[in-house]
Amino acid sequence: MVRKLILNNFVKIFKMAKIILITGGAGFIGSHVVRLFVNKYPEYKIINLDKLTYAGNLENLNDISGKSNYVFEKGDITDNQLVSKLFEKHKFSGIIHLAAESHVDRSISDPGAFINTNILGTVNLLNAARNLWKDDFEGKLFYHISTDEVYGSLGETGYFTEETAYDPRSPYSASKASSDHLVRAYMHTYKLPVVLTNCSNNYGANQFPEKLIPLAVNNIKNNKQIPIYGKGENIRDWLFVNDHASAIDLVYHKGTNGETYNIGGNNEWTNIDLIHKLCEIMDEKLGRKKGESAKLITFVKDRAGHDMRYAIDSSKIQNELGWKPSLQFEEGLEKTVDWYLENETWLNNILTGKYEQYYEEQYHKR
Ligand code: NAD
Ligand code: DAU
């Protein structure tokens, strides 16, 4: 009886065991997804494939790097020999594809890397998945992580739904839109099991300080000007990164094959209001006089082709899968500020010569 029970449990665990490739797992969102999966599913094997570009940082994963269900593979998703070898070696049953060039400003000054990684890299992974899984797609899934930016820019009203027509307007969003189309094309043409999510702006721990929130936190801390593009009237819908990771977990396990789910925080802020809120929090945390940090706000030349407003209608994932964001924005922002202030070494390790060079090129011409 006991032996039968043990055997049944063993069979159950074996059936549940998954070998999942997570690409871009050393980046901002990827590291939160890797951590969640490694800790929550000890019976899974999680392989993190990352090229470690300027945005990839293994320090993001220090706490789980020694776990027995975690493997790191350094490599480029555009390298088809390496990708084929890895698929052959690990026989993945699922892929969560996050690796990408992700910063809009960099895509404006140098689109090439975005075309290579975001489009060609995705095709490479799609081909490898198709080749490994052949026509036996049972229990397999290619999960593509995309962005709300593929839908373009909204006016004062309305929301992006899963039916909104694509209208990408930066090299970054155009490259992400291309990759989304390719993923859907592989589903229609080859019946590859896929699922896609398009998420709004994430914030939280481990975000590279080129993006608005960590850049502003770092500048406020160091009494440097906070560069606000244009008049600061552009609107973004902010979501705490751990809430994005929990949505990814849910969609990976419960999402319907072939479907797209929009993920957002229902949390719209103009950039200028957001920065004022951040300044208030930082004044308090740094023991500064009220209004002191806001003096650093500086309006600079606008981003070329700057999308005005993003806002996500996330009712599909909420109604069908029961997901919802766990945090109010102010609480999340405070947690984020605390993290950056407590993790000075993480930040200092990034602020090397290369970062300075990027910062000079990006902001001193404005
Ligand atoms: P990130 O720039 O912080 O991390 C990207 C990771 O991908 C890095 O670790 C980098 O080393 C790796 N990478 C880049 N090129 C690679 C290549 N050729 N081969 C292997 N690895 C490579 O990005 P992020 O903000 O964490 O975004 C992750 C994904 O989520 C992206 O696909 C992005 O489009 C999407 N997304 C981001 C946001 C956001 O607000 N940050 C919102 C919605 C969707
Ligand atoms: O919407 C999802 C997208 O959000 C993701 O797909 C992208 O990978 C991610 O980078 C982010 O794109 P944004 O361009 O919206 O994020 P960013 O942090 O660069 O800028 C947020 C807003 O702040 C945007 O309106 C531009 C503005 N901004 C940004 C920077 C870096 C400034 O005003 N000053 C700045 O210095």
Side-chain angles (χ1 to χ4, degrees), residues 218-233:
N218 184 45
N219 286 15
I220 295 169
K221 187 176 148 227
N222 294 304
N223 266 310
K224 277 173 73 175
Q225 294 185 337
I226 312 163
I228 303 290
Y229 298 164
K231 295 182 181 152
E233 286 167 349

Side-chain angles (χ1 to χ4, degrees), residues 101-313:
E101 288 293 338
S102 69
H103 191 40
V104 175
D105 291 328
R106 289 185 193 253
S107 84
I108 293 168
S109 38
D110 181 16
F114 288 73
I115 308 308
N116 279 330
T117 289
N118 300 359
I119 306 178
L120 300 180
T122 301
V123 173
N124 229 354
L125 293 168
L126 286 165
N127 285 336
R130 199 183 145 221
N131 192 36
L132 175 70
W133 299 338
K134 298 280 187 308
D135 289 324
D136 180 15
F137 295 134
E138 184 62 35
K140 312 294 194 305
L141 184 65
F142 190 106
Y143 180 178
H144 181 61
I145 307 295
S146 192
T147 169
D148 60 357
E149 300 201 10
V150 297
Y151 298 122
S153 181
L154 291 164
E156 279 174 20
T157 56
Y159 295 92
F160 296 135
T161 73
E162 289 79 2
E163 272 72 50
T164 303
Y166 274 32
D167 182 22
R169 294 146 49 101
S170 73
Y172 163 68
S173 54
S175 68
K176 291 297 289 186
S178 304
S179 64
D180 292 11
H181 289 319
L182 284 157
V183 171
R184 293 196 182 98
Y186 274 61
M187 171 189 75
H188 286 291
T189 311
Y190 307 114
K191 310 292 171 232
L192 196 76
V194 308
V195 69
L196 294 89
T197 49
N198 294 73
C199 188
S200 64
N201 287 60
N202 285 214
Y203 70 99
N206 299 120
Q207 188 169 31
F208 194 85
E210 62 188 351
K211 308 280 163 66
L212 180 66
I213 292 180
L215 184 137
V217 169
N218 184 45
N219 286 15
I220 295 169
K221 187 176 148 227
N222 294 304
N223 266 310
K224 277 173 73 175
Q225 294 185 337
I226 312 163
I228 303 290
Y229 298 164
K231 295 182 181 152
E233 286 167 349
N234 304 65
I235 294 173
R236 298 291 182 265
D237 170 2
W238 294 92
L239 179 70
F240 195 54
V241 64
N242 300 73
D243 283 331
H244 188 189
S246 73
I248 290 173
D249 177 21
L250 199 60
V251 171
Y252 184 82
H253 291 97
K254 303 267 165 58
T256 303
N257 183 10
E259 290 293 316
T260 295
Y261 301 88
N262 280 356
I263 306 170
N266 198 18
N267 177 39
E268 293 180 51
W269 287 75
T270 61
N271 293 335
I272 190 67
D273 286 350
L274 186 160
I275 292 300
H276 274 291
K277 172 57 66 191
L278 190 65
C279 287
E280 266 174 44
I281 296 175
M282 295 282 290
D283 278 345
E284 219 179 290
K285 302 273 174 199
L286 298 171
R288 288 183 186 166
K289 254 191 12 227
K290 210 166 172 235
E292 198 60 29
S293 299
K295 289 186 191 151
L296 298 167
I297 292 175
T298 310
F299 294 95
V300 299
K301 187 168 165 242
D302 208 353
R303 173 184 279 173
H306 197 172
D307 287 341
M308 192 58 205
R309 174 173 167 254
Y310 303 147
I312 280 275
D313 174 349

